[in-house]
Amino acid sequence: MKCEDPTQHAHNAWEKASQLAPPPKPPQLHFYMPAMPSMRLIRALDMGWWRYRRRRLYRRHIVPLLDYDDHVLRDIGHCRDDILWASQLPLKVDAIQALEARQKKRQAQQA
């Protein structure tokens, strides 16, 4: 196993968790077949599956960062309270985007 410093490992974990892009919107069809499910249903299922996968990525890559000390978390721009806060968010809220927004807000307040 490759030994790397905790800060680099934390950056890699953050990049892996941020890789999953949302699914594209289904195309607008010019006709509707009676046996065909509604496009809203298909979109809802796609987004539900994407949210589930995104939350799993968060739990797999970001929550283990809590094992590091506060100095390493501060080096990547987060704090322990933010990660714990984001893990308590409802499933419909993207925890990774919420953490990024909170990080940008903190940086704007410090500047």
Side-chain angles (χ1 to χ4, degrees), residues 21-28 37-51:
K25 289 188 176 183
Q28 293 292 334
S38 104
M39 294 313 251
R40 280 191 231 146
L41 175 64
I42 292 172
R43 178 69 177 167
L45 291 173
D46 278 348
M47 288 305 294
W49 178 245
W50 179 77
R51 286 185 188 112

Side-chain angles (χ1 to χ4, degrees), residues 17 20-24 40-60 91-94 96:
L20 186 63
R40 280 191 231 146
L41 175 64
I42 292 172
R43 178 69 177 167
L45 291 173
D46 278 348
M47 288 305 294
W49 178 245
W50 179 77
R51 286 185 188 112
Y52 170 76
R53 289 177 48 209
R54 185 83 166 179
R55 187 53 65 111
R56 278 198 49 158
L57 280 174
Y58 175 79
R59 288 185 182 141
R60 182 184 303 151
L91 186 60
K92 288 195 174 207
V93 177
D94 187 11
I96 296 171

Side-chain angles (χ1 to χ4, degrees), residues 14 55 58-59 62-63 66 78-91 93-106:
W14 186 260
R55 187 53 65 111
Y58 175 79
R59 288 185 182 141
I62 303 301
V63 172
L66 293 173
H78 297 291
C79 68
R80 188 172 307 279
D81 295 333
D82 289 348
I83 294 174
L84 290 172
W85 167 80
S87 67
Q88 300 298 320
L89 291 173
L91 186 60
V93 177
D94 187 11
I96 296 171
Q97 288 179 353
L99 271 177
E100 288 174 349
R102 200 164 181 170
Q103 179 184 15
K104 287 178 185 176
K105 184 179 176 183
R106 180 177 293 122

